[in-house]
Every structure is written in structure tokens, then in C-alpha cells.
Amino acid sequence: MGGFRSCLLHVGADTPSALVWMITSVDAGFTLTGGPPELAAALRAQAARCLGAVDHI
């Protein structure tokens, strides 16, 4: 069963950081295709924290 498969996920949350937590809790790659600028900023902040956690390794 090869090939690329995708789906569109619609979710909501009280805060952008809560939404980022939900999105990144799914064990799958994803592409942010829309949403408010605060969501992209929260996702970038989370990515920076994660990278910072492993930069020393």
C-alpha cells in the first residue's frame, strides 16, 4: 500500500498554543494551510523549543 495519502483536519481550540499542542500530538507530518498569524507564530515557537531541546545532542 504505497503512495502519498492525505486528509484535511479541522480542529479548534481556545488558544493558538492549545491548537498547536493538538496538531503536534498526532503522530503524522502536516502542512499548515491556513489560520490566523498567531497560529503560525505559536507553531514556530513550539518548533524552536523542540529544536532547542535536542540541539546539544
Side-chain angles (χ1 to χ4, degrees):
M1 199 181 227
F4 179 76
R5 297 183 349 184
S6 67
C7 68
L8 183 60
L9 178 66
H10 292 270
V11 294
D14 292 334
T15 65
S17 59
L19 188 53
V20 166
W21 180 84
M22 283 185 236
I23 294 168
T24 57
S25 294
V26 177
D27 188 20
F30 64 93
T31 300
L32 185 63
T33 61
E38 296 84 7
L39 177 56
L43 190 55
R44 284 186 186 98
Q46 178 71 6
R49 285 190 295 274
C50 290
L51 286 173
V54 296
D55 272 349
H56 66 286
I57 297 174

